[in-house]
Amino acid sequence: MESSVVVMDTNPTTNAINSQTTAANLMERIEEITEEIVSEMSDAISDHSDRYGSQSPKKRLKTEASIGDHSDDKHKHLVMKDKLEHRLGGILCCAVCLDLPKSGIFQFCFIQIKCTNGHLMCAGCFTHLLADARLRDETATCPNCRCVISRDLCSRNLAVEKAVCELPGLCRFCSKELPRVLLDKHQVDYCEERIVRCTFARIGCPWSGPFHESGPHAETCIHPNKSGREVLDVLIGLDKETIEEKKLYDSIFDLLSFEKITFNDLQLKPYRTDEYIHKLYYETSRFTAFNTQWVVKARVNEDQRDPTQSCERQLSYQIVLKSKLTTPMAIHYVILKGPFGDMKLHPRLYKHEFNESSNESPFQVISLHDSHECNKLLAAKV
């Protein structure tokens, strides 16, 4: 026998109300969720629009990938460039001062002496080595491989010079990075941080500072408004310098009007003293002037015991009378650059009276441009 049970709702109105309430709550929740989703999507779309414009999703993915790859490639390129420049700087630097040269570069010609090292030197260090060897009475050698070096065994390396010119260097005023070939021009004419003097320095203004501050300073400088009496002392000082320079040229022109004038092209040859420590000195062969015999002697650093211990060097010279005089003789003398020489000096005119008890003039410094010019003279054969 089968049996079935039927359950019948005795309160249909209450159930209908509960069902409507649940549906209403559900719709409100759905609307809230929908509004949140729409808000998030609109924010995301706005962000992407600002970044990529109206690109499609596929294009946006490609753009994101390309931007990432481009930034990585750029970073790698900069790192590789810095490494390459650093490595080139280490390879092309001078073997003595370990710095990139600013002037001519010399490479030893090892073919004649059968050395394959080929170490590089800047012109200043190369000349300094030759001068040191002359002072020590030794043969100049390469500081790395000890091969003999001389002016006959070396040549300029133009390829390295051009490569060094293209390497970056820092401006000493603004630290801006520029090719070395442009650095000097930049530092002299274009750098806004280069140190300049006031426009009114000739009338006593002591100001000096960055170029970009010179204009505002000139507008407020008080020296243009000073009276003539206040700037007179500065003008007197300038006149003294001009008078001294004019006096030198006037003296030379006056001496050219003398009855007896002689000009001698002399060569100073190196010699050594007989002392325990042999000192270098220079002396010319005897020459004739005013019917008497003379020689010129020169020494390094005022007869310093070991001039190789000093980086700053200078030459001083004297005139020695080799003939006997019956009457005193006053001589004006000046040393100049020879017709085949290239030394840079400032002429200085001297006077000495020679007699039986005084046949040597005092030592006078040869007014060379700088210590490098002295090394060039010491490195030369004569």
Side-chain angles (χ1 to χ4, degrees):
M1 181 183 291
E2 294 181 1
S3 62
S4 62
V5 177
V6 178
V7 178
M8 297 182 66
D9 188 5
T10 59
N11 194 357
T13 304
T14 304
N15 290 336
I17 293 174
N18 292 336
S19 299
Q20 291 177 1
T21 304
T22 305
N25 293 335
L26 181 60
M27 290 299 296
E28 289 178 0
R29 182 57 180 162
I30 291 173
E31 288 177 358
E32 291 176 1
I33 295 173
T34 304
E35 288 178 357
E36 291 177 2
I37 293 174
V38 170
S39 177
E40 292 176 1
M41 289 181 64
S42 61
D43 292 342
I45 291 172
S46 176
D47 181 54
H48 280 259
S49 297
D50 294 340
R51 186 173 181 182
Y52 304 107
S54 59
Q55 295 179 358
S56 63
K58 291 183 178 180
K59 289 185 177 180
R60 287 200 292 269
L61 292 175
K62 292 181 179 179
T63 305
E64 290 177 353
S66 62
I67 290 175
D69 295 341
H70 180 70
S71 60
D72 292 341
D73 293 342
K74 187 176 181 181
H75 178 70
K76 291 179 181 178
H77 175 71
L78 292 175
V79 172
M80 291 177 63
K81 184 179 179 182
D82 292 340
K83 288 183 178 179
L84 178 60
E85 292 172 350
H86 181 71
R87 288 170 59 190
L88 285 176
I91 294 171
L92 303 179
C93 68
C94 172
V96 179
C97 64
L98 302 179
D99 194 8
L100 289 175
K102 296 181 180 179
S103 55
I105 302 170
F106 288 83
Q107 182 181 23
F108 312 136
C109 184
F110 290 106
I111 297 176
Q112 297 182 8
I113 55 179
K114 298 181 181 179
C115 178
T116 58
N117 292 327
H119 299 113
L120 299 171
M121 281 188 187
C122 57
C125 292
F126 176 72
T127 304
H128 201 284
L129 276 182
L130 296 182
D132 281 351
R134 173 59 57 81
L135 291 172
R136 294 191 178 99
D137 196 18
E138 298 174 352
T139 302
T141 58
C142 170
N144 283 2
C145 60
R146 299 305 173 187
C147 291
V148 176
I149 60 174
S150 67
R151 293 195 177 275
D152 297 331
L153 300 174
C154 72
S155 60
R156 288 183 66 181
N157 194 322
L158 296 178
V160 173
E161 287 185 20
K162 292 179 180 179
V164 170
C165 286
E166 297 301 324
L167 288 177
L170 295 179
C171 172
R172 60 192 178 95
F173 299 115
C174 65
S175 300
K176 185 177 180 180
E177 192 174 85
L178 292 169
R180 288 176 174 265
V181 69
L182 303 177
L183 267 183
D184 289 340
K185 185 69 174 176
H186 168 77
Q187 292 177 159
V188 173
D189 296 328
Y190 299 117
C191 182
E192 292 291 325
E193 298 292 336
R194 68 183 187 273
I195 303 301
V196 296
R197 298 182 65 188
C198 177
T199 308
F200 305 103
R202 292 182 60 83
I203 57 174
C205 180
W207 182 90
S208 64
F211 173 76
H212 64 84
E213 296 180 5
S214 60
H217 167 77
E219 295 178 358
T220 59
C221 185
I222 62 175
H223 286 76
N225 301 320
K226 287 187 174 182
S227 64
R229 185 181 300 276
E230 291 175 317
V231 300
L232 183 61
D233 292 338
V234 179
L235 297 178
I236 291 175
L238 293 175
D239 287 343
K240 286 183 178 179
E241 296 178 2
T242 305
I243 290 172
E244 288 297 325
E245 185 176 356
K246 186 175 181 297
K247 183 178 179 181
L248 170 63
Y249 289 103
D250 289 344
S251 300
I252 293 177
F253 287 126
D254 289 341
L255 292 175
L256 290 177
S257 64
F258 277 28
E259 180 182 359
K260 294 182 180 181
I261 302 175
T262 183
F263 175 83
N264 292 276
D265 183 20
L266 305 175
Q267 286 188 341
L268 291 162
K269 298 180 180 180
Y271 295 94
R272 299 281 167 179
T273 61
D274 296 332
E275 302 173 6
Y276 177 73
I277 298 178
H278 301 302
K279 294 180 180 179
L280 173 69
Y281 72 96
Y282 288 84
E283 187 172 325
T284 66
S285 302
R286 289 197 179 195
F287 62 94
T288 301
F290 311 125
N291 298 322
T292 51
Q293 296 289 313
W294 308 80
V295 296
V296 175
K297 291 184 177 181
R299 62 189 184 186
V300 185
N301 283 13
E302 295 293 339
D303 204 20
Q304 183 181 353
R305 182 172 182 178
D306 189 3
T308 60
Q309 301 298 320
S310 175
C311 292
E312 296 296 326
R313 292 167 183 168
Q314 62 181 10
L315 287 170
S316 54
Y317 75 102
Q318 69 171 170
I319 299 178
V320 180
L321 176 64
K322 292 295 184 180
S323 301
K324 291 185 177 181
L325 292 177
T326 56
T327 56
M329 179 185 295
I331 297 293
H332 295 79
Y333 58 96
V334 60
I335 189 168
L336 304 170
K337 180 178 73 70
F340 306 106
D342 61 348
M343 67 177 180
K344 301 175 183 178
L345 55 81
H346 307 288
R348 293 289 185 269
L349 185 64
Y350 301 104
K351 179 183 178 181
H352 184 73
E353 184 175 292
F354 293 88
N355 50 49
E356 293 183 357
S357 59
S358 177
N359 62 345
E360 295 182 356
S361 69
F363 275 93
Q364 305 291 350
V365 176
I366 301 178
S367 300
L368 297 172
H369 184 68
D370 53 24
S371 183
H372 177 64
E373 291 296 321
C374 182
N375 283 329
K376 285 172 63 178
L377 290 178
L378 294 175
K381 293 182 179 179
V382 291

